[in-house]
PDB file of all heavy atoms in Angstrom:
ATOM      1  N   SER A 250       0.499 -18.433  -1.586  1.00  0.00           N
ATOM      2  CA  SER A 250       0.847 -18.205  -3.038  1.00  0.00           C
ATOM      3  C   SER A 250      -0.051 -17.035  -3.488  1.00  0.00           C
ATOM      4  O   SER A 250      -1.124 -16.811  -2.938  1.00  0.00           O
ATOM      5  CB  SER A 250       0.596 -19.451  -3.866  1.00  0.00           C
ATOM      6  OG  SER A 250      -0.742 -19.802  -3.818  1.00  0.00           O
ATOM      7  N   GLY A 251       0.476 -16.301  -4.436  1.00  0.00           N
ATOM      8  CA  GLY A 251      -0.278 -15.155  -4.897  1.00  0.00           C
ATOM      9  C   GLY A 251      -1.476 -15.566  -5.772  1.00  0.00           C
ATOM     10  O   GLY A 251      -2.461 -14.780  -5.795  1.00  0.00           O
ATOM     11  N   ASP A 252      -1.405 -16.705  -6.396  1.00  0.00           N
ATOM     12  CA  ASP A 252      -2.548 -17.197  -7.232  1.00  0.00           C
ATOM     13  C   ASP A 252      -2.360 -18.656  -7.463  1.00  0.00           C
ATOM     14  O   ASP A 252      -1.523 -19.266  -6.730  1.00  0.00           O
ATOM     15  CB  ASP A 252      -2.548 -16.419  -8.585  1.00  0.00           C
ATOM     16  CG  ASP A 252      -1.249 -16.519  -9.373  1.00  0.00           C
ATOM     17  OD1 ASP A 252      -0.391 -17.429  -9.099  1.00  0.00           O
ATOM     18  OD2 ASP A 252      -1.012 -15.685 -10.319  1.00  0.00           O
ATOM     19  N   CYS A 253      -3.051 -19.259  -8.410  1.00  0.00           N
ATOM     20  CA  CYS A 253      -3.017 -20.660  -8.602  1.00  0.00           C
ATOM     21  C   CYS A 253      -1.725 -21.130  -9.161  1.00  0.00           C
ATOM     22  O   CYS A 253      -1.462 -22.357  -9.191  1.00  0.00           O
ATOM     23  CB  CYS A 253      -4.209 -21.130  -9.524  1.00  0.00           C
ATOM     24  SG  CYS A 253      -4.067 -20.383 -11.225  1.00  0.00           S
ATOM     25  N   TRP A 254      -0.857 -20.249  -9.609  1.00  0.00           N
ATOM     26  CA  TRP A 254       0.462 -20.666 -10.249  1.00  0.00           C
ATOM     27  C   TRP A 254       1.569 -20.893  -9.203  1.00  0.00           C
ATOM     28  O   TRP A 254       2.598 -21.321  -9.566  1.00  0.00           O
ATOM     29  CB  TRP A 254       0.868 -19.652 -11.286  1.00  0.00           C
ATOM     30  CG  TRP A 254      -0.239 -19.395 -12.311  1.00  0.00           C
ATOM     31  CD1 TRP A 254      -0.983 -18.318 -12.471  1.00  0.00           C
ATOM     32  CD2 TRP A 254      -0.619 -20.430 -13.314  1.00  0.00           C
ATOM     33  NE1 TRP A 254      -1.929 -18.527 -13.516  1.00  0.00           N
ATOM     34  CE2 TRP A 254      -1.730 -19.775 -14.049  1.00  0.00           C
ATOM     35  CE3 TRP A 254      -0.214 -21.675 -13.639  1.00  0.00           C
ATOM     36  CZ2 TRP A 254      -2.327 -20.379 -15.058  1.00  0.00           C
ATOM     37  CZ3 TRP A 254      -0.901 -22.321 -14.701  1.00  0.00           C
ATOM     38  CH2 TRP A 254      -1.951 -21.668 -15.374  1.00  0.00           C
ATOM     39  N   GLY A 255       1.288 -20.460  -7.975  1.00  0.00           N
ATOM     40  CA  GLY A 255       2.199 -20.915  -6.879  1.00  0.00           C
ATOM     41  C   GLY A 255       3.378 -20.050  -6.470  1.00  0.00           C
ATOM     42  O   GLY A 255       4.149 -20.516  -5.603  1.00  0.00           O
ATOM     43  N   GLU A 256       3.469 -18.821  -6.903  1.00  0.00           N
ATOM     44  CA  GLU A 256       4.510 -17.996  -6.427  1.00  0.00           C
ATOM     45  C   GLU A 256       4.378 -17.665  -4.986  1.00  0.00           C
ATOM     46  O   GLU A 256       3.246 -17.288  -4.604  1.00  0.00           O
ATOM     47  CB  GLU A 256       4.654 -16.642  -7.258  1.00  0.00           C
ATOM     48  CG  GLU A 256       5.733 -15.744  -6.796  1.00  0.00           C
ATOM     49  CD  GLU A 256       5.737 -14.428  -7.497  1.00  0.00           C
ATOM     50  OE1 GLU A 256       4.734 -14.105  -8.247  1.00  0.00           O
ATOM     51  OE2 GLU A 256       6.620 -13.617  -7.224  1.00  0.00           O
ATOM     52  N   ILE A 257       5.440 -17.791  -4.222  1.00  0.00           N
ATOM     53  CA  ILE A 257       5.381 -17.546  -2.726  1.00  0.00           C
ATOM     54  C   ILE A 257       6.102 -16.218  -2.496  1.00  0.00           C
ATOM     55  O   ILE A 257       7.196 -15.935  -2.964  1.00  0.00           O
ATOM     56  CB  ILE A 257       5.968 -18.658  -1.938  1.00  0.00           C
ATOM     57  CG1 ILE A 257       5.287 -20.023  -2.244  1.00  0.00           C
ATOM     58  CG2 ILE A 257       5.880 -18.389  -0.424  1.00  0.00           C
ATOM     59  CD1 ILE A 257       3.804 -20.025  -1.940  1.00  0.00           C
ATOM     60  N   ASP A 258       5.592 -15.400  -1.612  1.00  0.00           N
ATOM     61  CA  ASP A 258       6.190 -14.124  -1.232  1.00  0.00           C
ATOM     62  C   ASP A 258       5.547 -13.577   0.023  1.00  0.00           C
ATOM     63  O   ASP A 258       4.294 -13.770   0.178  1.00  0.00           O
ATOM     64  CB  ASP A 258       5.993 -13.158  -2.400  1.00  0.00           C
ATOM     65  CG  ASP A 258       6.812 -11.839  -2.321  1.00  0.00           C
ATOM     66  OD1 ASP A 258       6.729 -11.144  -1.247  1.00  0.00           O
ATOM     67  OD2 ASP A 258       7.485 -11.491  -3.324  1.00  0.00           O
ATOM     68  N   THR A 259       6.363 -12.922   0.893  1.00  0.00           N
ATOM     69  CA  THR A 259       5.695 -12.392   2.100  1.00  0.00           C
ATOM     70  C   THR A 259       4.759 -11.288   1.781  1.00  0.00           C
ATOM     71  O   THR A 259       3.890 -10.972   2.646  1.00  0.00           O
ATOM     72  CB  THR A 259       6.813 -11.835   3.060  1.00  0.00           C
ATOM     73  OG1 THR A 259       7.780 -11.029   2.296  1.00  0.00           O
ATOM     74  CG2 THR A 259       7.575 -12.978   3.747  1.00  0.00           C
ATOM     75  N   ARG A 260       4.855 -10.668   0.564  1.00  0.00           N
ATOM     76  CA  ARG A 260       3.753  -9.720   0.223  1.00  0.00           C
ATOM     77  C   ARG A 260       2.356 -10.401   0.263  1.00  0.00           C
ATOM     78  O   ARG A 260       1.372  -9.813   0.686  1.00  0.00           O
ATOM     79  CB  ARG A 260       3.979  -9.171  -1.180  1.00  0.00           C
ATOM     80  CG  ARG A 260       5.149  -8.239  -1.296  1.00  0.00           C
ATOM     81  CD  ARG A 260       5.305  -7.832  -2.790  1.00  0.00           C
ATOM     82  NE  ARG A 260       5.444  -8.983  -3.679  1.00  0.00           N
ATOM     83  CZ  ARG A 260       5.188  -9.065  -4.928  1.00  0.00           C
ATOM     84  NH1 ARG A 260       4.643  -7.912  -5.561  1.00  0.00           N
ATOM     85  NH2 ARG A 260       5.350 -10.070  -5.652  1.00  0.00           N
ATOM     86  N   PHE A 261       2.338 -11.629  -0.161  1.00  0.00           N
ATOM     87  CA  PHE A 261       1.055 -12.272  -0.296  1.00  0.00           C
ATOM     88  C   PHE A 261       0.568 -12.753   1.118  1.00  0.00           C
ATOM     89  O   PHE A 261      -0.720 -12.735   1.348  1.00  0.00           O
ATOM     90  CB  PHE A 261       1.214 -13.585  -1.115  1.00  0.00           C
ATOM     91  CG  PHE A 261       1.791 -13.256  -2.529  1.00  0.00           C
ATOM     92  CD1 PHE A 261       2.553 -14.204  -3.134  1.00  0.00           C
ATOM     93  CD2 PHE A 261       1.659 -11.962  -3.086  1.00  0.00           C
ATOM     94  CE1 PHE A 261       3.116 -13.990  -4.357  1.00  0.00           C
ATOM     95  CE2 PHE A 261       2.255 -11.727  -4.349  1.00  0.00           C
ATOM     96  CZ  PHE A 261       2.950 -12.692  -4.993  1.00  0.00           C
ATOM     97  N   SER A 262       1.456 -12.974   2.056  1.00  0.00           N
ATOM     98  CA  SER A 262       1.061 -13.213   3.463  1.00  0.00           C
ATOM     99  C   SER A 262       0.342 -11.964   4.027  1.00  0.00           C
ATOM    100  O   SER A 262      -0.663 -12.050   4.666  1.00  0.00           O
ATOM    101  CB  SER A 262       2.277 -13.494   4.323  1.00  0.00           C
ATOM    102  OG  SER A 262       2.854 -14.767   3.990  1.00  0.00           O
ATOM    103  N   PHE A 263       0.902 -10.766   3.743  1.00  0.00           N
ATOM    104  CA  PHE A 263       0.303  -9.579   4.175  1.00  0.00           C
ATOM    105  C   PHE A 263      -1.038  -9.300   3.501  1.00  0.00           C
ATOM    106  O   PHE A 263      -2.090  -9.017   4.136  1.00  0.00           O
ATOM    107  CB  PHE A 263       1.221  -8.318   3.891  1.00  0.00           C
ATOM    108  CG  PHE A 263       0.478  -7.040   4.161  1.00  0.00           C
ATOM    109  CD1 PHE A 263       0.312  -6.563   5.407  1.00  0.00           C
ATOM    110  CD2 PHE A 263      -0.038  -6.238   3.077  1.00  0.00           C
ATOM    111  CE1 PHE A 263      -0.375  -5.382   5.714  1.00  0.00           C
ATOM    112  CE2 PHE A 263      -0.656  -5.120   3.310  1.00  0.00           C
ATOM    113  CZ  PHE A 263      -0.862  -4.648   4.603  1.00  0.00           C
ATOM    114  N   CYS A 264      -1.104  -9.509   2.175  1.00  0.00           N
ATOM    115  CA  CYS A 264      -2.349  -9.353   1.414  1.00  0.00           C
ATOM    116  C   CYS A 264      -3.447 -10.177   2.014  1.00  0.00           C
ATOM    117  O   CYS A 264      -4.603  -9.837   2.164  1.00  0.00           O
ATOM    118  CB  CYS A 264      -2.144  -9.609  -0.032  1.00  0.00           C
ATOM    119  SG  CYS A 264      -1.174  -8.397  -0.910  1.00  0.00           S
ATOM    120  N   ALA A 265      -3.103 -11.443   2.322  1.00  0.00           N
ATOM    121  CA  ALA A 265      -4.067 -12.438   2.813  1.00  0.00           C
ATOM    122  C   ALA A 265      -4.678 -12.008   4.170  1.00  0.00           C
ATOM    123  O   ALA A 265      -5.900 -11.915   4.370  1.00  0.00           O
ATOM    124  CB  ALA A 265      -3.502 -13.835   2.925  1.00  0.00           C
ATOM    125  N   VAL A 266      -3.767 -11.666   5.097  1.00  0.00           N
ATOM    126  CA  VAL A 266      -4.260 -11.337   6.503  1.00  0.00           C
ATOM    127  C   VAL A 266      -4.879  -9.951   6.531  1.00  0.00           C
ATOM    128  O   VAL A 266      -5.846  -9.761   7.264  1.00  0.00           O
ATOM    129  CB  VAL A 266      -3.107 -11.485   7.534  1.00  0.00           C
ATOM    130  CG1 VAL A 266      -2.585 -12.893   7.571  1.00  0.00           C
ATOM    131  CG2 VAL A 266      -2.089 -10.455   7.359  1.00  0.00           C
ATOM    132  N   ALA A 267      -4.400  -9.032   5.672  1.00  0.00           N
ATOM    133  CA  ALA A 267      -5.024  -7.768   5.605  1.00  0.00           C
ATOM    134  C   ALA A 267      -6.497  -7.851   5.093  1.00  0.00           C
ATOM    135  O   ALA A 267      -7.400  -7.340   5.676  1.00  0.00           O
ATOM    136  CB  ALA A 267      -4.170  -6.812   4.739  1.00  0.00           C
ATOM    137  N   ALA A 268      -6.608  -8.554   3.991  1.00  0.00           N
ATOM    138  CA  ALA A 268      -7.966  -8.713   3.437  1.00  0.00           C
ATOM    139  C   ALA A 268      -8.886  -9.491   4.376  1.00  0.00           C
ATOM    140  O   ALA A 268     -10.050  -9.041   4.599  1.00  0.00           O
ATOM    141  CB  ALA A 268      -7.873  -9.423   2.078  1.00  0.00           C
TER     142      ALA A 268
END
Side-chain angles (χ1 to χ4, degrees):
S250 60
D252 57 18
C253 64
W254 304 109
E256 180 188 5
I257 304 297
D258 191 307
T259 46
R260 289 179 301 157
F261 309 149
S262 294
F263 172 76
C264 289
V266 301

